[in-house]
Amino acid sequence: MICDICHETLLRPTVSTRRIGSLDVVSLFRYKNIAPFLLSKHTPRGYRLYRYFGRRHIAPFFEAFAEGLDEPALILAVDESVEHGYSHTALLAHWSRFENLRPLHGALRASNRVSYAGKSLQFRLENPRQFVYRGPKGIKAVLLDDIITTGTTLDEARSVLESQDVEVLFALTLADAREG
């Protein structure tokens, strides 16, 4: 889907970290640099692109992270709902299986299916995702999503997980939509 030359020259990560409440959010790219790829997520081409980003960017990040882990941790993809034949966040999480690190699919789901695309912070605050967690308690976890815009989704997910005795280490996203 993406040749090695393009991978090396055009799709080099520009890693950044952003603090949302008490949560550190690491993003691998600036949104504007990969927006056309991300906007294709609910298409057949998007499936192949998300596989590419999982294999070529998410996997190396988590492999390096897993090397420093003293105890197991789980990857919790934000709302692995299937739309148009697959879940884009589950596809990204698929590439996070290493010693002491593995994905826990389908454990964190939003019960409110409202779309946040193009919506304001006020709209997002007035229409929370209402996450439900169905997984083990007393664990360490990393949240995984494709895009961070305002941070409300990740902050709400963190809050729900912490109320269920899950220690959220940080969150990882492909892209940060913040300008600048």
Side-chain angles (χ1 to χ4, degrees):
M1 170 114 291
I2 295 179
C3 73
D4 288 337
I5 293 170
C6 293
H7 170 76
E8 292 299 324
T9 58
L10 300 175
L11 291 172
R12 287 193 167 183
T14 52
V15 178
S16 63
T17 303
R18 187 170 157 190
R19 189 123 175 124
I20 303 295
S22 63
L23 180 67
D24 285 328
V25 181
V26 177
S27 298
L28 300 181
F29 294 93
R30 295 170 89 182
Y31 178 80
K32 69 180 183 178
N33 294 345
I34 63 169
F37 302 122
L38 298 174
L39 294 173
S40 72
K41 67 181 158 190
H42 298 302
T43 69
R45 184 182 80 168
Y47 172 82
R48 292 188 303 275
L49 286 165
Y50 269 71
R51 280 189 59 208
Y52 160 81
F53 280 111
R55 183 173 40 90
R56 296 295 293 263
H57 296 287
I58 297 292
F61 179 91
F62 279 136
E63 183 177 28
F65 171 70
E67 288 175 4
L69 283 175
D70 294 332
E71 55 187 282
L74 297 174
I75 303 299
L76 298 174
V78 174
D79 195 25
E80 292 184 335
S81 296
V82 174
E83 291 184 37
H84 305 282
Y86 74 100
S87 163
H88 60 283
T89 54
L91 194 54
L92 294 175
H94 171 78
W95 301 96
S96 63
R97 187 173 300 277
F98 299 97
E99 187 174 339
N100 279 337
L101 187 65
R102 67 177 179 83
L104 180 61
H105 291 292
L108 182 64
R109 296 283 179 106
S111 58
N112 182 354
R113 305 298 316 152
V114 66
S115 173
Y116 282 178
K119 300 292 196 270
S120 68
L121 173 60
Q122 187 64 34
F123 177 86
R124 293 164 192 246
L125 292 171
E126 291 171 355
N127 297 277
R129 294 277 189 202
Q130 300 172 348
F131 285 108
V132 175
Y133 175 67
R134 292 188 177 100
K137 296 181 181 198
I139 62 164
K140 293 183 180 201
V142 176
L143 283 169
L144 177 63
D145 206 354
D146 60 338
I147 304 167
I148 179 173
T149 305
T150 63
T152 56
T153 297
L154 290 170
D155 193 47
E156 182 185 350
R158 177 208 48 80
S159 179
V160 167
L161 291 169
E162 288 180 352
S163 75
Q164 297 294 312
D165 194 30
V166 173
E167 180 185 348
V168 179
L169 302 174
F170 64 95
L172 177 67
T173 67
L174 276 179
D176 186 342
R178 174 182 53 183
E179 295 296 319

